Amino acid sequence: MSEVKRPELEELCRRLVASSRGSLTSVIICTEEAEILAHNPVTEVDQDAAAIAVGNMSAFRYMSQAYGFKPPKRIDVDFGDEKLIIKPLGSLILVAKTSSKPNLGLVDLLLEQVKL
Amino acid sequence: MRYVVLVTGPFNSGKSTFVSTLGGRFSAEASTKNLLKPTTTVFMDFGTIEHNGYHVTLFGTPGQPKFRPFIMGLMTLKLDAIILLVDCSDPVGLVMGRGFYQMVRRARPDVPLLVAANKSDRLTARKPEEVRKIVGVEEGVPVVPCVATDRERALEVLEKALGLLK
């Protein structure tokens, strides 16, 4: 199924980066096993960011089950100026890296609109 | 062909070394006051390896029970095999391995499991059959000797784990 969707996912990554007006420097979509299905910029493959997203998402999903919370809708990691945003997309995971001092309102809006 | 393998086991069993020797990309560690080793994994180890036409993704869990959400979270991934490392040269490590073994069997009875008796090159190392008895490994689950610092021997263990899938 993921094979069929790859061009759509590539387009989604491209659109997010392009629409963010420089606030998003890269977007990755990967499986829950850290296999990268799509990424933008196309020249950058950040396997480590995908693995970190998978590790965090699995831990928080476990925690939400253990404490009876709803599954996480988004995980934001604040590195000071830059941020790493992890968002589940069905069975896939979206990982977005922001530039320093991003327009967070725009980033939130763009990510809220993402649906597969 | 792509495979996802989880490397787990108690504290100081050699999980990070195993992942790093095979193709570690990063290890999220913190310094520890424990005299056994200067750092300990607090989040995960991650590595990838291309071998015999296979692409293997390796996830390593922390070993300390206080990092349970990360251990259990990584257990929920879509896994092809689990390698449980125990320090077969340390009686305490083997007893801790027993608890880990039971936890893994309970959490993922659906995933092929291999027990690797790590540090088998040490003088105090127990033989795989002794490890099986102390850790309480069932008959259907293989117990193999392992030296995580030696790439060839670590590869042998990985191949045996992937062999369980055939």
Side-chain angles (χ1 to χ4, degrees):
Chain A
M1 189 173 129
S2 54
E3 285 297 324
V4 181
K5 281 186 172 178
R6 258 178 216 240
E8 282 173 49
L9 298 176
E10 293 281 2
E11 173 57 19
L12 174 61
C13 293
R14 189 201 64 75
R15 204 155 27 86
L16 280 171
V17 173
S19 313
S20 74
R21 300 178 189 177
S23 286
L24 293 177
T25 55
S26 82
V27 173
I28 298 168
I29 296 175
C30 66
T31 66
E32 289 178 341
E33 296 80 50
E35 182 189 352
I36 294 176
L37 300 177
H39 54 96
N40 194 276
V42 287
T43 49
E44 267 178 45
V45 185
D46 195 344
Q47 183 66 73
D48 294 349
I52 287 169
V54 166
N56 272 298
M57 193 52 78
S58 64
F60 282 106
R61 274 190 186 143
Y62 168 77
M63 265 189 73
S64 65
Q65 279 178 353
Y67 291 96
F69 300 148
K70 287 181 184 166
K73 287 168 82 175
R74 195 171 124 168
I75 300 168
D76 286 21
V77 186
D78 196 333
F79 291 108
D81 290 341
E82 286 111 354
K83 293 180 196 327
L84 185 74
I85 301 168
I86 304 164
K87 180 182 163 74
L89 283 179
S91 62
L92 304 177
I93 299 171
L94 182 146
V95 191
K97 274 201 278 189
T98 72
S99 58
S100 62
K101 301 197 175 138
N103 179 342
L104 289 176
L106 178 59
V107 170
D108 285 350
L109 188 68
L110 289 171
L111 293 179
E112 271 173 26
Q113 289 169 348
V114 171
K115 279 193 183 92
L116 285 182
Chain B
M1 201 70 172
R2 298 181 75 94
Y3 292 113
V4 180
V5 176
L6 183 75
V7 181
T8 189
F11 175 71
N12 200 34
S13 58
K15 301 172 294 297
S16 300
T17 307
F18 184 82
V19 173
S20 155
T21 301
L22 284 176
R25 293 181 62 96
F26 71 80
S27 178
E29 294 179 329
S31 56
T32 163
K33 286 177 185 157
N34 196 304
L35 295 174
L36 286 170
K37 55 185 204 166
T39 61
T40 187
T41 303
V42 293
F43 170 38
M44 66 189 271
D45 303 308
F46 179 69
T48 54
I49 175 172
E50 301 278 347
H51 180 63
N52 284 347
Y54 299 137
H55 177 95
V56 185
T57 302
L58 294 161
F59 288 102
T61 71
Q64 297 188 65
K66 61 185 169 190
F67 300 117
R68 186 179 164 85
F70 290 117
I71 302 171
M72 297 309 288
L74 290 169
M75 290 254 189
T76 64
L77 296 179
K78 208 193 287 174
L79 301 168
D80 294 301
I82 298 175
I83 298 174
L84 171 67
L85 254 72
V86 291
D87 178 353
C88 71
S89 70
D90 173 24
V92 178
L94 284 172
V95 173
M96 287 196 300
R98 195 180 176 92
F100 251 88
Y101 178 81
Q102 287 165 1
M103 182 183 74
V104 171
R105 290 306 269 172
R106 254 200 315 272
R108 294 307 296 267
D110 56 318
V111 180
L113 171 67
L114 177 139
V115 176
N118 193 28
K119 308 183 191 181
S120 63
D121 56 339
R122 292 195 177 172
L123 279 175
T124 53
R126 301 290 185 109
K127 293 194 174 105
E129 277 320 302
E130 290 175 272
V131 172
R132 178 184 293 282
K133 211 178 270 179
I134 300 167
V135 178
V137 182
E138 297 135 293
E139 274 308 314
V141 177
V143 180
V144 298
C146 173
V147 181
T149 49
D150 181 332
R151 186 172 164 79
E152 288 306 311
R153 300 199 55 186
L155 260 179
E156 274 174 32
V157 172
L158 181 64
E159 278 170 3
K160 280 179 187 152
L162 296 179
L164 297 173
L165 308 175
K166 288 170 189 162

